[in-house]
Amino acid sequence: MKKALLISAFVLIALSTVMAQTEKGRRLAGVQVGNIVIPTSGGSGTIIGLQPAYGWFVSDGLVVGAGIPIFYVGSGGTNITQIGISPFLRYYIGSSQIKPFFGGSVGVINTSVSSNNSSSSSADALYGLTGGVAFFINRSVSFDFALTYTGGNTGVVNSLVAGSTNALTPNIPKALNISLGFQVYFGK
């Protein structure tokens, strides 16, 4: 009887710890720090992309926040820099250490292009739909793998990076993005 009570208490404590990762009132801060670039044709150059994010859990599993997409491409004397703001919603499913999630975002991004002696810039709408998996290594940290479709209106970035407007590239509008990142969960 004592053994069964002890095991039951341990299981309840373990479950409450796991469920507490994405409970109402907690916050998250993180960044997508890695991107896998798969060009569809012979593009090349320097590519740097990341997106820091911060959010609040407004209910168990549902986080509302904002990200700052930052992207740089340099190729053949042409440099493209993007920075923006992108509010998002994300919903985590389940109470295990491996949690699938899905979400969406909408925002604005400023694109600056400079080539030799000319430059231009534009502000464009940006939206995305995301699905992925968060692998929690403990109560406060997860490593994330995600697949995101990003839509928007800056095809010049796609053409420079991959030679095609349907390229699989990081944080580029009208593209499918494969990304890796991590999140830190805190509060309560």
Side-chain angles (χ1 to χ4, degrees):
M1 179 69 177
K2 234 182 193 183
K3 207 180 226 182
L5 188 58
L6 186 61
I7 290 171
S8 297
F10 178 74
V11 169
L12 284 174
I13 290 169
L15 284 176
S16 68
T17 300
V18 170
M19 294 171 80
Q21 295 160 330
T22 58
E23 74 181 3
K24 182 178 179 177
R26 289 189 49 95
R27 294 163 293 185
L28 72 79
V31 65
Q32 295 303 111
V33 293
N35 290 291
I36 299 168
V37 180
I38 307 170
T40 56
S41 62
S44 64
T46 302
I47 301 171
I48 301 169
L50 62 109
Q51 181 166 332
Y54 186 84
W56 297 268
F57 284 90
V58 294
S59 69
D60 290 353
L62 180 63
V63 65
V64 174
I68 301 173
I70 302 167
F71 184 69
Y72 170 81
V73 178
S75 179
T78 301
N79 298 308
I80 299 174
T81 305
Q82 293 182 308
I83 188 164
I85 185 79
S86 184
F88 68 87
L89 288 172
R90 182 182 285 181
Y91 185 73
Y92 291 86
I93 301 167
S95 60
S96 69
Q97 292 294 101
I98 300 172
K99 293 184 184 185
F101 62 83
F102 62 91
S105 64
V106 64
V108 65
I109 195 158
N110 183 28
T111 304
S112 298
V113 180
S114 65
S115 179
N116 301 326
N117 293 330
S118 66
S119 65
S120 64
S121 108
S122 65
D124 298 291
L126 184 70
Y127 62 90
L129 297 172
T130 301
V133 179
F135 299 92
F136 285 85
I137 60 170
N138 62 31
R139 184 176 193 267
S140 300
V141 177
S142 73
F143 288 100
D144 300 351
F145 174 80
L147 188 60
T148 302
Y149 175 78
T150 306
N153 228 359
T154 55
V156 67
V157 180
N158 287 4
S159 298
L160 176 66
V161 174
S164 164
T165 57
N166 294 311
L168 293 174
T169 50
N171 299 325
I172 296 175
K174 296 188 180 174
L176 191 58
N177 310 303
I178 300 170
S179 61
L180 304 171
F182 70 92
Q183 306 289 330
V184 176
Y185 302 80
F186 53 97
K188 271 194 173 177

